[in-house]
Amino acid sequence: MLLAKAIQTMESVMQPLVKAGTASKYDPEFYGVKALTPKERDLFSDGSLCAPEGSILIVHPSVAGEDILVCSSADPTATGEALAKDVLASLKVTIANKELANLDTVAIPGNATSPLAAAALGRTVANSLNSPVAAIVTGMGAADTVWETLCGGMLMAPAASALYTWDAVLQEMMKHNPIGNALIAKDVQDLTASISEAATLFEILKDQMLEQTSHGLSLRPAADRKLKMVVSHSKGNWGVLCALLNFELNVVEHVAAPAAARCDPKVHIVTFGNWVNLPNLKPIMADLFHYHQFMGTHDHIGGMGSSYGYARLALAGKVVASDTAVDHQANPDEALYVKCSHNVDPDKTDHMPIEKILPRIK
């Protein structure tokens, strides 16, 4: 797939040129960097904390006073599925050693961000839920800005727009054309492997949603799944879309689904900023996942990245004030928040009310 190959090639070329720990000048613009301690911020700014793309940072709430932990691959050349499997293995060891049984939420930041932004978003989510969060690193900061922006604005956004436009046609083709179904499924698989955060999330989904039984691979009963929520922002929403599409097209139809798989609790998928057309081709996706998508009326970046989603919410009248206590039971649960912009920093007056929304959902 041309898109996947382009992303993978450019990421491979850029990464060796990026100094580990390089902070992005855009991180404080959109994320609550000040919620991190000076010691934590220094870990990223001086390069002493190395967290390549696809790595996971375990971030605790501010009141816990716990250090940020890094789960990464020991192989600096690892990419795609191999990288993701290494990161997941490191995460499992860390959870066992640190007794993090209550780690059940993943956070994914957006465009042109560094590990500092992943830590900041992780801290915001952790403070909102009063529990630790696994934040996936999506970029390497300022040196990565140009490619990350081009990747999102010129590759992923048009691809997403095409999916919106042809959604009904594609769904019908995939229902009745097994060859077309197989081709699209393979392209989604390649695309997921080429986006590090999507690859890592996909491995987490497989690990948390599947189990090996005497009858073969099966979906876990809902009560046995530790993953409760995935929170993403901006370009990170496209990584979530890729991972979920891959799960829908390449996993769901090949595993047994016990009756218990269709029971609550579902995994809450919460996106802020760019609206994405989350997978709903197979009915079981609505049984496994609860979709929540939020944009702001003053979110110009999100509007440019997802004009379809912005117009969809506005024309449907799904507009609410940022201080309104919304019932989030609907699936999908969508809203356009008045006077909110693209940032998710609780200290900013125009931020998306992430600290109010997440506790109501979970």
Side-chain angles (χ1 to χ4, degrees):
M1 181 181 182
L2 180 60
L3 175 59
K5 294 299 182 184
I7 293 172
Q8 196 170 39
T9 300
M10 288 303 296
E11 290 286 359
S12 299
V13 171
M14 289 295 295
Q15 282 197 8
L17 305 178
V18 180
K19 181 182 177 181
T22 302
S24 170
K25 60 183 179 181
Y26 298 110
D27 290 347
E29 186 173 344
F30 301 112
Y31 302 99
V33 172
K34 291 182 179 178
L36 300 171
T37 66
K39 176 186 174 182
E40 289 170 335
R41 294 196 295 269
D42 288 346
L43 287 174
F44 297 99
S45 61
D46 67 9
S48 59
L49 191 153
C50 181
E53 246 179 86
S55 300
I56 289 176
L57 306 179
I58 298 178
V59 187
H60 290 79
S62 297
V63 295
E66 296 282 347
D67 291 337
I68 293 174
L69 305 173
V70 182
C71 304
S72 59
S73 172
D75 181 2
T77 65
T79 60
E81 183 179 359
L83 170 68
K85 287 183 180 298
D86 286 351
V87 171
L88 178 61
S90 176
L91 176 65
K92 287 185 172 183
V93 170
T94 303
I95 289 174
N97 290 342
K98 299 295 182 178
E99 299 182 350
L100 291 167
N102 59 335
L103 181 64
D104 60 13
T105 300
V106 173
I108 306 176
N111 179 52
T113 57
S114 75
L116 180 66
L121 178 60
R123 176 59 48 78
T124 296
V125 176
N127 284 344
S128 300
L129 300 174
N130 194 31
S131 62
V133 169
I136 302 178
V137 177
T138 62
M140 298 309 295
D144 217 11
T145 300
V146 174
W147 171 242
E148 286 285 315
T149 302
L150 290 174
C151 171
M154 298 184 69
L155 293 176
M156 289 185 173
S161 296
L163 284 175
Y164 302 154
T165 304
W166 294 97
D167 184 57
V169 175
L170 288 172
Q171 288 202 19
E172 286 304 311
M173 182 186 75
M174 293 181 70
K175 288 177 182 177
H176 305 293
N177 185 341
I179 296 177
N181 192 330
L183 288 173
I184 292 175
K186 181 62 169 65
D187 280 349
V188 168
Q189 193 174 52
D190 291 345
L191 185 58
T192 302
S194 70
I195 304 171
S196 298
E197 60 268 28
T200 297
L201 178 59
F202 182 58
E203 288 303 318
I204 292 174
L205 288 175
K206 288 193 296 180
D207 179 69
Q208 290 295 307
M209 306 298 287
L210 305 176
E211 65 178 353
Q212 189 68 45
T213 70
S214 58
H215 301 291
L217 198 61
S218 173
L219 287 167
R220 290 184 188 275
D224 294 343
R225 303 172 200 144
K226 294 180 180 179
L227 179 65
K228 304 300 182 187
M229 180 179 283
V230 177
V231 181
S232 61
H233 175 247
S234 191
K235 178 175 168 280
N237 301 348
W238 282 316
V240 173
L241 170 61
C242 284
L244 287 172
L245 275 174
N246 201 2
F247 190 81
E248 180 186 45
L249 300 180
N250 292 300
V251 173
V252 166
E253 66 180 27
H254 301 299
V255 297
R262 299 174 180 269
C263 300
D264 287 336
K266 299 177 176 65
V267 177
H268 294 285
I269 307 296
V270 189
T271 73
F272 293 94
N274 300 343
W275 185 93
V276 291
N277 198 15
L278 293 172
N280 59 2
L281 177 64
K282 300 183 186 301
I284 195 173
M285 293 298 284
D287 295 320
L288 299 174
F289 303 101
H290 190 151
Y291 296 151
H292 311 263
Q293 298 207 78
F294 309 110
M295 297 181 70
T297 58
H298 289 49
D299 184 352
H300 305 301
I301 295 175
M304 288 188 293
S306 178
S307 56
Y308 176 92
Y310 189 96
R312 183 178 186 273
L313 297 179
L315 293 174
K318 296 182 177 181
V319 182
V320 298
S322 61
D323 58 352
T324 301
V326 178
D327 180 3
H328 296 289
Q329 293 300 309
N331 189 12
D333 165 35
E334 302 172 320
L336 196 60
Y337 279 81
V338 176
K339 294 184 179 179
C340 293
S341 68
H342 198 63
N343 84 79
V344 289
D345 179 359
D347 285 343
K348 291 185 169 64
T349 58
D350 64 344
H351 76 285
M352 288 292 298
I354 182 172
E355 76 284 4
K356 297 176 183 177
I357 293 171
L358 296 182
R360 291 172 187 157
I361 291 175
K362 196 172 182 182

